[in-house]
Amino acid sequence: MAEPRISHCNGTHSGHREPLKNGLHKKNGLCKAAQHNGTANDTLYKKPFLESFEEAPMYVAVLTYIGFGVVTLFGYLRDFMRAWGLEKCHMAEERKEQKDFVPLYQDFENFYTRNLYMRVRDSWNRPICSVPGPQFDLMERVTDDYNWTYRFTGRVIKDVVNMGSYNYLGFAENDPESLVLVKDTIQSYGVGVCSTRQEMGHLDNHKELEDLVAEFLGVEEAMVFSMGFATNSMNIPALVGKGCLILSDELNHTSLILGARLSGATIRIFKHNNMQNLEKLLRDAVVNGQPRTHRAWKKILILVEGIYSMEGSIARLPEIVALKQKYKAYLYLDEAHSIGAVGATGRGVVEYFGMEPTDIDVLMGTFTKSFGAAGGYIAGRKTLVDYLRTHSHNAVYAASMPPPVTEQIIRVLKCIMGLDGTLIGLKRVQQLGANTRYFRQRLRDMGFITYGNEDSPVIPVLLYMPGKVGAFARHMLEKKIGVVVVGFPATPITEARARFCISAAHTKEMLDKVIDALDEMGEFLQLKYSRLSRSARSAADEKTNLDLDA
């Protein structure tokens, strides 16, 4: 019987260094003052660091591979029948008017889409016709050609419990009283800027937002961008380039991966949250330098996320900071899913671990999750932000953040910080933590395998077998529960899952409805694979509903 991989750490850590004009250091080398071996160290963590990645029984992995093998076999059979005109569904073929053109997609490369994805395509891209709050409305659709196209029935599925949106603090709302300032901003500024920050797109509320973000994070300065994805993909190339080394966690988001590739820097991957592997790469980089020439790397940049959206795990930030200080590297922290979602006052994983913002060279985050808006930010020292204002393609070429979006973020930030004179923001942060612990505990009690950190509002529930992925999503929707299911190639082939995102706006009744449905589906689809001992169910009765009306 394989044991679950669970980590326990305790301790504290902090540090500080002076950057150069572009906000980053120039040399890499050994720092004799910082001694750390890259393993779990009791002196680095202030509280227990608990994460679980339980392995499934062997028979589950075997059946999963068999399931993919059967589906693949039937896929080739259908392609053969399609070639001989025996297949009823011809949607996978090129249209007659395209026969003389070079195929847009290669036949073999499109095999997965034709024969696997299309079988369960109805589990994704469901059209929503309401605010994506704790509940939403869905437009009902049906297919007449095996999920290749859809038609709407005109019926709306009302009050579906939303367990898939990143609405962590519940600010995706349409409360008229809360949105008065946003409405006034539209009347004063319009809905778009139609220019870049360096031209005619720099507004006074952009400056107000940047000052507020810097105050919230406890750093010297911040810069906001109109798109979260581009905040990573367009700013990383401005910080590193040829002759630099990027050490990237293997589970990093696509935006980080794209930014690293666009930079032209050398990229090396370390195993997820594996400090021994990271230190080995750092040591080799310092000792051996660049390939062939063995010159010292101009910069070494470590890329990590605060919360990993597919695993629900939290970066081992104290250990990573200790390593980056020991080897004089830089740290780029993506807090897209952690800012607002963890920490006593919602200030992300830096606050969660009790660390200083100056320990991190580049603080990045987005406003698309906890803030119910759009865009992203880069924060840190003033020299770093000033450098990006002139060197970032996002600042030079991309349109500025729309004024109503800016005002929405300002409204939410003031609410979280208590600058609006209420405790609503703080109570939502506390409510999110309570909801997260309650939901995770109940899932463990029922025997599901869940991944991630105890305090992460992203909760993956492992489904494993491909046939169960589509069935799970369809049956849950029948119970008026909207879930996100994820499978290969977005996950390893044997780790298909349903990803639940907890919100402060979820009431205990909503969570109990989902839990009851999961309990039923777990028995029906045989999804309760955990072999851990069940904890006392009395913990599940803990009161978690806090008053949000301050």
Side-chain angles (χ1 to χ4, degrees), residues 201-219:
H202 182 69
L203 304 181
D204 54 350
N205 63 357
H206 290 148
K207 175 61 176 172
E208 180 185 359
L209 174 58
E210 290 175 344
D211 292 342
L212 203 59
V213 171
E215 180 184 352
F216 179 65
L217 298 175
V219 296

Side-chain angles (χ1 to χ4, degrees), residues 345-356:
T345 59
R347 285 170 168 81
V349 294
V350 177
E351 182 183 50
Y352 177 79
F353 287 111
M355 305 181 68
E356 294 296 327

